[in-house]
Amino acid sequence: MNRTVLSIAKRAAATVQKSASAAPNSKLFVAGLSWSVDEKSLKDAFSSFGDVTEVRIMYDKDSGRSRGFGFVNFSKEDEAICAKDAMDGKALLGRPLRISFALERVRGGPVIVPRLSDSGDDYNRNG
């Protein structure tokens, strides 16, 4: 029984890991941004790798402060790949960047949550 649960857990973790990693594309997700980074400084940091078509930093709607992440779009996929490989882990204004390929944002799409057991009986019990 324990081996079955462990096997299911391993399969679920592998599925989540595969679905969470995005295929290369021309849009990068950039995390670890300092609060002092603005769109211009982020564009300047990435423009040496190719034609940056758009830069967006996400801000908190209440405080107006940066949420510490943003997106950098390139005109070509190979430019984004080069930028990711070169800049991932490098410091920008004193903070190391964590860069990955952006996932496509889907509104109203299904949320997939892996289950660790084959049945939902554990969740439906009272007591």
Side-chain angles (χ1 to χ4, degrees), residues 69-88:
F69 69 92
F71 298 91
V72 177
N73 288 16
F74 285 88
S75 60
K76 297 179 185 171
E77 185 179 302
D78 62 329
E79 295 170 344
I81 293 169
C82 183
K84 178 189 176 300
D85 292 344
M87 295 292 287
D88 191 25

PDB file of all heavy atoms in Angstrom, residues 69-88:
ATOM      1  N   PHE A  69       8.902  41.339  -9.702  1.00  0.00           N
ATOM      2  CA  PHE A  69       9.028  40.529 -10.913  1.00  0.00           C
ATOM      3  C   PHE A  69       8.440  41.285 -12.097  1.00  0.00           C
ATOM      4  O   PHE A  69       7.705  42.247 -11.934  1.00  0.00           O
ATOM      5  CB  PHE A  69       8.357  39.157 -10.765  1.00  0.00           C
ATOM      6  CG  PHE A  69       6.857  39.188 -10.678  1.00  0.00           C
ATOM      7  CD1 PHE A  69       6.086  39.065 -11.818  1.00  0.00           C
ATOM      8  CD2 PHE A  69       6.218  39.336  -9.461  1.00  0.00           C
ATOM      9  CE1 PHE A  69       4.690  39.085 -11.750  1.00  0.00           C
ATOM     10  CE2 PHE A  69       4.838  39.349  -9.367  1.00  0.00           C
ATOM     11  CZ  PHE A  69       4.074  39.228 -10.517  1.00  0.00           C
ATOM     12  N   GLY A  70       8.802  40.821 -13.282  1.00  0.00           N
ATOM     13  CA  GLY A  70       8.307  41.448 -14.501  1.00  0.00           C
ATOM     14  C   GLY A  70       8.528  40.535 -15.695  1.00  0.00           C
ATOM     15  O   GLY A  70       8.911  39.371 -15.547  1.00  0.00           O
ATOM     16  N   PHE A  71       8.281  41.096 -16.870  1.00  0.00           N
ATOM     17  CA  PHE A  71       8.394  40.344 -18.109  1.00  0.00           C
ATOM     18  C   PHE A  71       9.185  41.146 -19.130  1.00  0.00           C
ATOM     19  O   PHE A  71       9.050  42.367 -19.205  1.00  0.00           O
ATOM     20  CB  PHE A  71       7.002  40.036 -18.681  1.00  0.00           C
ATOM     21  CG  PHE A  71       6.177  39.193 -17.752  1.00  0.00           C
ATOM     22  CD1 PHE A  71       5.349  39.779 -16.812  1.00  0.00           C
ATOM     23  CD2 PHE A  71       6.247  37.807 -17.807  1.00  0.00           C
ATOM     24  CE1 PHE A  71       4.588  39.005 -15.946  1.00  0.00           C
ATOM     25  CE2 PHE A  71       5.494  37.026 -16.949  1.00  0.00           C
ATOM     26  CZ  PHE A  71       4.670  37.630 -16.016  1.00  0.00           C
ATOM     27  N   VAL A  72      10.001  40.446 -19.906  1.00  0.00           N
ATOM     28  CA  VAL A  72      10.779  41.062 -20.986  1.00  0.00           C
ATOM     29  C   VAL A  72      10.462  40.294 -22.257  1.00  0.00           C
ATOM     30  O   VAL A  72      10.663  39.078 -22.313  1.00  0.00           O
ATOM     31  CB  VAL A  72      12.296  41.022 -20.692  1.00  0.00           C
ATOM     32  CG1 VAL A  72      13.082  41.609 -21.856  1.00  0.00           C
ATOM     33  CG2 VAL A  72      12.622  41.757 -19.402  1.00  0.00           C
ATOM     34  N   ASN A  73       9.949  41.001 -23.263  1.00  0.00           N
ATOM     35  CA  ASN A  73       9.625  40.377 -24.554  1.00  0.00           C
ATOM     36  C   ASN A  73      10.697  40.726 -25.578  1.00  0.00           C
ATOM     37  O   ASN A  73      11.097  41.895 -25.686  1.00  0.00           O
ATOM     38  CB  ASN A  73       8.285  40.892 -25.082  1.00  0.00           C
ATOM     39  CG  ASN A  73       7.107  40.372 -24.311  1.00  0.00           C
ATOM     40  OD1 ASN A  73       7.241  39.867 -23.216  1.00  0.00           O
ATOM     41  ND2 ASN A  73       5.934  40.506 -24.892  1.00  0.00           N
ATOM     42  N   PHE A  74      11.117  39.726 -26.321  1.00  0.00           N
ATOM     43  CA  PHE A  74      12.060  39.916 -27.418  1.00  0.00           C
ATOM     44  C   PHE A  74      11.344  39.681 -28.742  1.00  0.00           C
ATOM     45  O   PHE A  74      10.319  39.009 -28.795  1.00  0.00           O
ATOM     46  CB  PHE A  74      13.226  38.917 -27.291  1.00  0.00           C
ATOM     47  CG  PHE A  74      14.207  39.263 -26.214  1.00  0.00           C
ATOM     48  CD1 PHE A  74      14.016  38.810 -24.917  1.00  0.00           C
ATOM     49  CD2 PHE A  74      15.317  40.044 -26.477  1.00  0.00           C
ATOM     50  CE1 PHE A  74      14.907  39.120 -23.908  1.00  0.00           C
ATOM     51  CE2 PHE A  74      16.213  40.365 -25.484  1.00  0.00           C
ATOM     52  CZ  PHE A  74      16.014  39.903 -24.190  1.00  0.00           C
ATOM     53  N   SER A  75      11.900  40.222 -29.811  1.00  0.00           N
ATOM     54  CA  SER A  75      11.294  40.021 -31.123  1.00  0.00           C
ATOM     55  C   SER A  75      11.538  38.603 -31.639  1.00  0.00           C
ATOM     56  O   SER A  75      10.762  38.092 -32.437  1.00  0.00           O
ATOM     57  CB  SER A  75      11.804  41.051 -32.125  1.00  0.00           C
ATOM     58  OG  SER A  75      13.196  40.940 -32.269  1.00  0.00           O
ATOM     59  N   LYS A  76      12.614  37.945 -31.163  1.00  0.00           N
ATOM     60  CA  LYS A  76      12.939  36.594 -31.634  1.00  0.00           C
ATOM     61  C   LYS A  76      13.190  35.665 -30.453  1.00  0.00           C
ATOM     62  O   LYS A  76      13.750  36.064 -29.431  1.00  0.00           O
ATOM     63  CB  LYS A  76      14.190  36.621 -32.509  1.00  0.00           C
ATOM     64  CG  LYS A  76      14.043  37.432 -33.774  1.00  0.00           C
ATOM     65  CD  LYS A  76      15.330  37.428 -34.549  1.00  0.00           C
ATOM     66  CE  LYS A  76      15.223  38.335 -35.752  1.00  0.00           C
ATOM     67  NZ  LYS A  76      16.526  38.514 -36.402  1.00  0.00           N
ATOM     68  N   GLU A  77      12.789  34.420 -30.618  1.00  0.00           N
ATOM     69  CA  GLU A  77      12.962  33.412 -29.571  1.00  0.00           C
ATOM     70  C   GLU A  77      14.420  33.173 -29.225  1.00  0.00           C
ATOM     71  O   GLU A  77      14.776  33.022 -28.059  1.00  0.00           O
ATOM     72  CB  GLU A  77      12.304  32.113 -30.020  1.00  0.00           C
ATOM     73  CG  GLU A  77      12.313  31.024 -28.976  1.00  0.00           C
ATOM     74  CD  GLU A  77      11.614  29.766 -29.464  1.00  0.00           C
ATOM     75  OE1 GLU A  77      10.426  29.846 -29.833  1.00  0.00           O
ATOM     76  OE2 GLU A  77      12.268  28.707 -29.466  1.00  0.00           O
ATOM     77  N   ASP A  78      15.290  33.132 -30.242  1.00  0.00           N
ATOM     78  CA  ASP A  78      16.708  32.860 -29.965  1.00  0.00           C
ATOM     79  C   ASP A  78      17.363  33.966 -29.148  1.00  0.00           C
ATOM     80  O   ASP A  78      18.279  33.712 -28.365  1.00  0.00           O
ATOM     81  CB  ASP A  78      17.482  32.563 -31.247  1.00  0.00           C
ATOM     82  CG  ASP A  78      17.494  33.713 -32.234  1.00  0.00           C
ATOM     83  OD1 ASP A  78      16.519  34.484 -32.266  1.00  0.00           O
ATOM     84  OD2 ASP A  78      18.488  33.839 -32.995  1.00  0.00           O
ATOM     85  N   GLU A  79      16.881  35.210 -29.292  1.00  0.00           N
ATOM     86  CA  GLU A  79      17.392  36.313 -28.473  1.00  0.00           C
ATOM     87  C   GLU A  79      16.995  36.110 -27.011  1.00  0.00           C
ATOM     88  O   GLU A  79      17.793  36.345 -26.095  1.00  0.00           O
ATOM     89  CB  GLU A  79      16.845  37.646 -28.980  1.00  0.00           C
ATOM     90  CG  GLU A  79      17.320  38.005 -30.368  1.00  0.00           C
ATOM     91  CD  GLU A  79      16.589  39.207 -30.973  1.00  0.00           C
ATOM     92  OE1 GLU A  79      15.524  39.596 -30.466  1.00  0.00           O
ATOM     93  OE2 GLU A  79      17.111  39.737 -31.960  1.00  0.00           O
ATOM     94  N   ALA A  80      15.775  35.655 -26.783  1.00  0.00           N
ATOM     95  CA  ALA A  80      15.307  35.392 -25.421  1.00  0.00           C
ATOM     96  C   ALA A  80      16.097  34.249 -24.791  1.00  0.00           C
ATOM     97  O   ALA A  80      16.450  34.312 -23.604  1.00  0.00           O
ATOM     98  CB  ALA A  80      13.815  35.075 -25.441  1.00  0.00           C
ATOM     99  N   ILE A  81      16.378  33.213 -25.571  1.00  0.00           N
ATOM    100  CA  ILE A  81      17.160  32.084 -25.064  1.00  0.00           C
ATOM    101  C   ILE A  81      18.547  32.553 -24.643  1.00  0.00           C
ATOM    102  O   ILE A  81      19.038  32.209 -23.560  1.00  0.00           O
ATOM    103  CB  ILE A  81      17.248  30.960 -26.117  1.00  0.00           C
ATOM    104  CG1 ILE A  81      15.869  30.339 -26.349  1.00  0.00           C
ATOM    105  CG2 ILE A  81      18.263  29.896 -25.709  1.00  0.00           C
ATOM    106  CD1 ILE A  81      15.796  29.407 -27.554  1.00  0.00           C
ATOM    107  N   CYS A  82      19.165  33.349 -25.478  1.00  0.00           N
ATOM    108  CA  CYS A  82      20.502  33.880 -25.192  1.00  0.00           C
ATOM    109  C   CYS A  82      20.476  34.748 -23.923  1.00  0.00           C
ATOM    110  O   CYS A  82      21.345  34.622 -23.052  1.00  0.00           O
ATOM    111  CB  CYS A  82      21.000  34.679 -26.391  1.00  0.00           C
ATOM    112  SG  CYS A  82      22.670  35.312 -26.203  1.00  0.00           S
ATOM    113  N   ALA A  83      19.481  35.615 -23.814  1.00  0.00           N
ATOM    114  CA  ALA A  83      19.359  36.490 -22.640  1.00  0.00           C
ATOM    115  C   ALA A  83      19.134  35.679 -21.369  1.00  0.00           C
ATOM    116  O   ALA A  83      19.743  35.957 -20.327  1.00  0.00           O
ATOM    117  CB  ALA A  83      18.218  37.476 -22.846  1.00  0.00           C
ATOM    118  N   LYS A  84      18.283  34.667 -21.447  1.00  0.00           N
ATOM    119  CA  LYS A  84      18.014  33.823 -20.272  1.00  0.00           C
ATOM    120  C   LYS A  84      19.286  33.124 -19.823  1.00  0.00           C
ATOM    121  O   LYS A  84      19.631  33.139 -18.639  1.00  0.00           O
ATOM    122  CB  LYS A  84      16.932  32.793 -20.584  1.00  0.00           C
ATOM    123  CG  LYS A  84      16.644  31.858 -19.411  1.00  0.00           C
ATOM    124  CD  LYS A  84      15.738  30.722 -19.848  1.00  0.00           C
ATOM    125  CE  LYS A  84      15.511  29.720 -18.741  1.00  0.00           C
ATOM    126  NZ  LYS A  84      16.714  29.075 -18.223  1.00  0.00           N
ATOM    127  N   ASP A  85      19.991  32.522 -20.767  1.00  0.00           N
ATOM    128  CA  ASP A  85      21.213  31.797 -20.429  1.00  0.00           C
ATOM    129  C   ASP A  85      22.268  32.714 -19.824  1.00  0.00           C
ATOM    130  O   ASP A  85      22.972  32.329 -18.892  1.00  0.00           O
ATOM    131  CB  ASP A  85      21.791  31.099 -21.671  1.00  0.00           C
ATOM    132  CG  ASP A  85      20.908  29.953 -22.154  1.00  0.00           C
ATOM    133  OD1 ASP A  85      20.036  29.498 -21.386  1.00  0.00           O
ATOM    134  OD2 ASP A  85      21.097  29.528 -23.317  1.00  0.00           O
ATOM    135  N   ALA A  86      22.367  33.924 -20.325  1.00  0.00           N
ATOM    136  CA  ALA A  86      23.398  34.855 -19.856  1.00  0.00           C
ATOM    137  C   ALA A  86      23.028  35.551 -18.547  1.00  0.00           C
ATOM    138  O   ALA A  86      23.894  35.800 -17.704  1.00  0.00           O
ATOM    139  CB  ALA A  86      23.669  35.912 -20.932  1.00  0.00           C
ATOM    140  N   MET A  87      21.759  35.866 -18.344  1.00  0.00           N
ATOM    141  CA  MET A  87      21.362  36.704 -17.211  1.00  0.00           C
ATOM    142  C   MET A  87      20.823  35.943 -16.001  1.00  0.00           C
ATOM    143  O   MET A  87      20.756  36.508 -14.907  1.00  0.00           O
ATOM    144  CB  MET A  87      20.306  37.720 -17.667  1.00  0.00           C
ATOM    145  CG  MET A  87      20.813  38.727 -18.676  1.00  0.00           C
ATOM    146  SD  MET A  87      22.024  39.860 -17.981  1.00  0.00           S
ATOM    147  CE  MET A  87      20.977  40.894 -16.965  1.00  0.00           C
ATOM    148  N   ASP A  88      20.428  34.697 -16.162  1.00  0.00           N
ATOM    149  CA  ASP A  88      19.875  33.936 -15.033  1.00  0.00           C
ATOM    150  C   ASP A  88      20.940  33.790 -13.946  1.00  0.00           C
ATOM    151  O   ASP A  88      22.020  33.268 -14.189  1.00  0.00           O
ATOM    152  CB  ASP A  88      19.389  32.565 -15.501  1.00  0.00           C
ATOM    153  CG  ASP A  88      18.566  31.842 -14.443  1.00  0.00           C
ATOM    154  OD1 ASP A  88      17.981  32.514 -13.569  1.00  0.00           O
ATOM    155  OD2 ASP A  88      18.500  30.605 -14.495  1.00  0.00           O
TER     156      ASP A  88
END
